[in-house]
Amino acid sequence: MSEPKQKQFRAIRGTRDILPPDSSLWNWFERTAREVFESFNFREIRTPLFEEPELFGRSVGTDTDIVLKEMYPVEGRPPQEIQDYRRFIAAHGARIKNGSFVLKHLVHDVEQVLPELLIAQRIGDISDTDNMRLLQVIGEDAKRLRVHLRDEFLLSSEEILNLAQRIVYAAEDLRLGEQMTLRPEGTASVVRAYIEHGMHNLPGNQKLYYVGPMFRRERPQKGRYRQFYQIGAEVLGPSDAPAIDAEVIEMLLALFHRVGLTRTTLYVNSIGCKDCRPKYVELLREELRKIKDRLGADSQRRIETNPLRVLDSKLPDEQEIIATLPRISDHLCEACRAHFAKLKDELNLRGLAYEENWRLVRGLDYYTRTTFEVTAEGLGSQNAVCGGGRYDGLVELLGGPPTKGIGFAIGTDRAILSIQESGNLPKLPGLDVFVAWMGVKSYPTAGVELPPEEMKFKKSLGLADKLGARYALILGEDEVASGTYTLKRLADAKQEKYSESELFAHLKNGG
Ligand code: HAM
């Protein structure tokens, strides 16, 4: 008889494991980012992996792909007693159906349970505005039924059943768990934290960076994952000087230079501010309506919802038409035009090469003025390794004081892929010394990583070779007795004897 087949688990679609030796490359990349960013006086912020969904609705925008289609909702499980309270009321639904319903029992149950639900609502165990409305319905309907029972008997039996049914439905509709979502990006969380902790009271600009996973339910492909990683940086504070934009870009490119990610292109654009952009968007919409028939379905829809996003289109058929559309650079207000011109001066001053791309509008709603992106080679269609821009006004939108902001996020998965494709890999330290020991008396003498079971020297050295160790330290009982050790360099099989102190000195000096 064959064994029953066990289910084999695999990583969820769009997620992946990062194994050694790749994980060393990742650690090196992230370590280098920290070093470079800290040398620019940025410091790390760590925010939670989940947040209230509305945080992203308000900042990234309710009409964006990210918020409409790609967020991963997380529902907190409510405390058991709260679930029981709901069941208490909802159970009357079955009694209404089978005719065993007793009005005074329902009213009694609601009166028992409602105060508990209201407390839960107040302390946030069950939150959100929908629940508030539902609890109100339950409270008001129960009150009318109570009045009817107590003295007036004003309601017809049909009205009673309607009210009772409405209470049951409202109870069933209560969303008892806290509503959360896995974060699709980091900027909104950083801004939330900035406001929550009153960081605007700190002197100067706040320069923050973050490293970690983000989650978007996109269609997986090369360079596009559902759990992916970003290294981001944000500057928040009173000033919107273009020199800040340039410094942020300089820091980004300094990192790319350090890690050998050099076959890249920096694109910059300005998408105006709340004064000039709406006028341009309206103009764009009018022009798009005229040529609507020549556009694909997605772009046609976007004419009404978000015309700027039409400029993002990658459809080959649309490129020629899009090239004829009015460009934002011709419609910036004086202040935005000056800001963009100064940014380009500042980039030139720093010797940073860039290309202007008037179609770079980005897929998130919070941007104003500067937007930028860096593409890298070897990535196919998902070739943006970094995106960023200015978001003056976002802090206010999320309930904070007037504040300017700019930042970027690097897609770590893509940056690493591009480095791997280029073959320009760093030499990362591997295993230094493999201790080839034989004889039980030798085993306790060696205080480092070593094979846990005795092996013949030949086999041991073969393993050391396969593991890519630089040296094998040969440790037999003679060596222990005499206090001298044989160190074999595996690259050229050269070997020499050392005393213990000589040995350490030799290895410490890098062999
Ligand atoms: P974003 O353009 O949505 O901007 O993402 C930034 C980078 O994250 C992209 O350029 C890409 O490299 C990477 N990325 C995005 N989605 C995926 C995915 N599904 N798989 C792999 N990599 C991905 C933001 O997130 C903004 N918060 C950036 C920012 C910070 N703007 C101002 N401050």
Side-chain angles (χ1 to χ4, degrees), residues 60 66 70 184-188 210 214-219 221 223-230 232-234 362-364 366-367 372-374 382-391 405-415:
V60 174
I66 293 179
E70 296 170 3
E185 61 108 47
T187 310
Y210 49 91
M214 306 291 161
F215 306 85
R216 296 184 195 172
R217 200 188 165 79
E218 296 190 85
R219 198 166 47 74
Q221 66 183 87
R224 201 210 262 154
Y225 309 97
R226 290 179 167 179
Q227 172 169 337
F228 62 100
Y229 295 80
Q230 285 187 344
E234 316 286 352
R362 316 261 304 123
L364 302 88
Y366 50 62
Y367 291 114
F372 60 96
E373 224 162 73
V374 177
Q382 303 303 315
N383 65 351
V385 280
C386 177
R390 182 162 278 292
Y391 46 85
I406 180 162
F408 63 77
I410 299 165
T412 313
D413 305 78
R414 293 181 192 177

Side-chain angles (χ1 to χ4, degrees), residues 68-219:
L68 278 178
K69 309 188 239 175
E70 296 170 3
M71 295 225 288
Y72 278 101
V74 179
E75 183 148 345
R77 189 194 275 269
Q80 187 60 45
E81 71 263 21
I82 303 221
Q83 298 185 52
D84 292 343
Y85 294 147
R86 183 236 293 272
R87 209 168 300 135
F88 219 45
I89 303 182
H92 289 275
R95 295 179 202 137
I96 293 172
K97 268 210 193 91
N98 68 24
S100 67
F101 164 70
V102 180
L103 176 59
K104 76 174 182 236
H105 292 169
L106 171 68
V107 175
H108 175 265
D109 285 353
V110 171
E111 285 169 352
Q112 294 289 302
V113 159
L114 190 62
E116 304 291 341
L117 289 174
L118 287 169
I119 291 171
Q121 154 95 31
R122 207 170 56 237
I123 64 178
D125 268 351
I126 56 172
S127 47
D128 98 17
T129 44
D130 277 357
N131 283 332
M132 191 120 79
R133 194 180 49 75
L134 293 167
L135 290 175
Q136 251 164 18
V137 168
I138 295 175
E140 280 162 18
D141 289 357
K143 209 168 178 181
R144 287 179 66 191
L145 291 169
R146 166 56 72 200
V147 170
H148 167 84
L149 275 178
R150 201 164 45 211
D151 35 42
E152 299 174 17
F153 295 100
L154 289 173
L155 301 169
S156 69
S157 54
E158 199 188 335
E159 283 169 318
I160 291 173
L161 277 184
N162 279 343
L163 287 174
Q165 188 69 65
R166 206 158 73 165
I167 290 175
V168 168
Y169 285 153
E172 284 171 350
D173 280 354
L174 281 173
R175 293 166 62 182
L176 295 189
E178 312 135 87
Q179 302 301 306
M180 301 174 279
T181 185
L182 293 180
R183 62 181 188 190
E185 61 108 47
T187 310
S189 301
V190 171
V191 170
R192 185 215 20 86
Y194 177 86
I195 300 168
E196 186 170 339
H197 304 288
M199 292 171 82
H200 58 277
N201 293 318
L202 301 171
N205 284 320
Q206 292 308 303
K207 302 179 172 188
L208 302 166
Y209 75 87
Y210 49 91
V211 179
M214 306 291 161
F215 306 85
R216 296 184 195 172
R217 200 188 165 79
E218 296 190 85
R219 198 166 47 74

